[in-house]
Amino acid sequence: MTVLPAGRQFVLTWGVPRAYGGLTAALLQRSRLFDRLGGAPVTVLTCDDRADPAATAAELSERAALSPGVRVLNLWDWLRENDLRGRAVGPTAGFAPLPADSSEERAEGLLLRRVRTDARGAVVQIDHLRADGTLAVSDRRDVPAANGDVRRVIVTCDGSGEPRAAWRGVRALYAAWLDRLTAGEPAFLLVDSKAMARFAARYRRPHVVVLHVVHGSHLTEDGTEVRPSRAEVFARLGAFDAVVFCTARQARDVRRRVGPLPLLAVVPHPVARVAVPAAARQGAVVIARLEGIKRVEDAVQAARRAADRVPGLTLEVFGDGPERAALERSAGADGLVRFRGFDPSARDALVTASVLLLTSRSEAFSLVVAEAMAAGCLPIAYDVPYGPRELIDHGRTGWLVEPGNVDQLAETLARALSTDERRLARMRRDAMTRSAALDESAVLTRWAVVLRRAARRHRARRATWRLRELLRRRLRIG
């Protein structure tokens, strides 16, 4: 068994949607790997503020088959039951609990939150309540500041609902929470969410090694610039003890942009081996969030065009999202395209489907492509950066298609489903052999190496932090 370096393991992400996609699937898969094979329990920390995080975590544990050592904690739910040290609550904190006639949010009959909005409908205050109805946290976003601006102040309360501690800004609250959970003990913090990476780039503690795991492409769709949503974090990659990418190609491209300072590493997502039955395969499958970036409409159109040449063709679409209604309308009602919704066991369809379609605008690794190959399901993927090209040997373990070219996608789909079964069987064997390089034990070994390198860099940087702090103190004294 690969032994991970000593230290508690934490994962920080924004949230875990009920109908989660590739980022969450990879995060949970890695956490199970650390716990099950690495012997390191993992605590997944979420910071999204929604009505019922406890029920979501419980549902996730059941549906995602979390191993015993993997648990999910939400900040706001944790604050309902735990104390946290902060500033004294003075008059500038703007503590003003919402009255009982405010807008309420309930889950399973239990009052969890009161909410106040402004004239435009924007949320300006959320009061989180305990099961007994007492106020646990008041999160106000419109507290007047001395300079005439407004600021966000979070106040926690004791068991009777009286104010106990305050934080100016949510990032100060995040830091206090992490300090409490790590408790000064050696720890690794793997930050998967780009939203939380903005906070984590400034979170420095002597006992916490911080790594940012990049799940998506950092480039705009034309490939010329860093995406605006990633610009802040990519300008501060050197603040992390390591930055981990899924493919060497993306790491090389980023290195050319950011120079030699940050520690950039490459660790692909692990792919578990699956039992592949000898039964005949049929049809195509899509497993994706139904949102614009996934371009599932291209897969639907390609299937309809290919159906004229492939009698009995079906396309099974697993996933949910804001585009589902429009996609169902465009697919028609003849049963050629079937929408299955979100299903944690959707990967099971890969052992019976003949091909997988991936039509994303961008990828970082394409975990579903690797999983399809491991299951002998041949991928047909748009050749976008990054992911498909690193996994697929065109014509041997799958097919690459020009991004956005629906005619070529339909032609490739029709040709794949009409190919001689002996050739397809050979391609499936080659695909499974290729995916074996992503075996869980091999990936865990790579993670162990990266964590140790990050810990060494962290120790070296601590001396620099102390020197800078000493210089700041001397300058203040002088």
Side-chain angles (χ1 to χ4, degrees), residues 74-296:
N74 175 267
L75 168 65
W76 306 99
D77 195 51
W78 185 91
L79 286 171
R80 288 188 171 94
E81 304 297 334
N82 295 274
D83 186 15
L84 193 61
R85 292 182 179 179
R87 294 171 176 263
V89 182
T92 60
F95 181 67
L98 295 175
D101 59 353
S102 301
S103 175
E104 297 180 345
E105 293 183 353
R106 296 174 179 269
E108 298 181 356
L110 188 66
L111 176 60
L112 293 178
R113 311 195 312 175
R114 292 193 177 102
V115 181
R116 176 168 63 90
T117 58
D118 62 17
R120 297 171 298 174
V123 173
V124 292
Q125 183 172 345
I126 299 176
D127 283 0
H128 299 260
L129 306 178
R130 298 184 181 89
D132 63 4
T134 57
L135 178 61
V137 186
S138 182
D139 177 9
R140 186 176 172 189
R141 295 109 187 260
D142 63 345
V143 177
N147 62 2
D149 293 336
V150 296
R151 63 180 178 224
R152 184 174 180 180
V153 179
I154 299 99
V155 175
T156 58
C157 301
D158 62 21
S160 64
E162 291 301 312
R164 179 164 50 192
W167 291 265
R168 293 181 180 178
V170 73
R171 291 186 180 184
L173 179 64
Y174 295 157
W177 189 42
L178 285 174
D179 290 347
R180 170 69 181 278
L181 294 176
T182 57
E185 299 176 10
F188 292 89
L189 179 67
L190 278 65
V191 185
D192 287 84
S193 161
K194 59 187 176 185
M196 297 310 300
R198 289 193 284 269
F199 152 75
R202 300 180 186 275
Y203 179 73
R204 290 180 177 176
R205 298 294 187 269
H207 63 290
V208 183
V209 180
V210 182
L211 301 89
H212 178 31
V213 184
V214 179
H215 286 269
S217 172
H218 63 288
L219 296 174
T220 53
E221 193 169 335
D222 61 9
T224 60
E225 301 291 340
V226 174
R227 293 176 184 270
S229 61
R230 293 194 179 273
E232 179 183 343
V233 171
F234 268 64
R236 292 182 51 81
L237 290 185
F240 296 99
D241 296 307
V243 182
V244 184
F245 297 91
C246 303
T247 67
R249 183 179 168 202
Q250 186 175 16
R252 286 194 300 268
D253 286 354
V254 173
R255 175 65 74 199
R256 285 193 286 267
R257 289 179 177 269
V258 302
L261 180 61
L263 173 56
L264 306 186
V266 179
V267 183
H269 296 315
V271 177
R273 295 185 181 182
V274 296
V276 179
R281 295 170 178 266
Q282 60 180 7
V285 64
V286 167
I287 302 176
R289 281 274 298 158
L290 304 187
E291 54 189 21
I293 195 171
K294 297 301 182 181
R295 281 195 291 205
V296 176

Side-chain angles (χ1 to χ4, degrees), residues 331-460:
D334 58 1
L336 188 153
V337 182
R338 304 165 184 169
F339 290 86
R340 302 301 191 187
F342 173 76
D343 184 349
S345 60
R347 267 68 179 173
D348 294 346
L350 297 173
V351 300
T352 57
S354 183
V355 298
L356 167 89
L357 297 182
L358 183 131
T359 51
S360 302
R361 296 183 183 278
S362 68
E363 290 284 332
F365 178 71
S366 305
L367 176 60
V368 71
V369 167
E371 291 176 326
M373 292 168 65
C377 180
L378 297 173
I380 302 173
Y382 279 165
D383 188 13
V384 295
Y386 301 89
R389 179 169 290 275
E390 283 80 11
L391 294 167
I392 299 171
D393 184 354
H394 180 70
R396 181 180 177 186
T397 61
W399 298 269
L400 295 169
V401 174
E402 178 187 358
N405 190 331
V406 179
D407 287 337
Q408 186 182 0
L409 184 68
E411 170 64 26
T412 304
L413 174 61
R415 190 170 66 250
L417 295 179
S418 305
T419 297
D420 176 75
E421 198 55 45
R422 286 178 297 179
R423 185 189 172 202
L424 288 179
R426 185 169 60 252
M427 291 180 68
R428 298 190 204 283
R429 287 194 298 271
D430 288 343
M432 288 187 281
T433 299
R434 169 68 181 89
S435 71
L438 306 172
D439 175 79
E440 289 182 319
S441 60
V443 171
L444 183 62
T445 298
R446 294 178 70 166
W447 267 115
V449 171
V450 169
L451 292 175
R452 289 192 177 92
R453 291 179 63 197
R456 286 196 298 269
R457 186 169 189 262
H458 182 76
R459 287 193 295 270

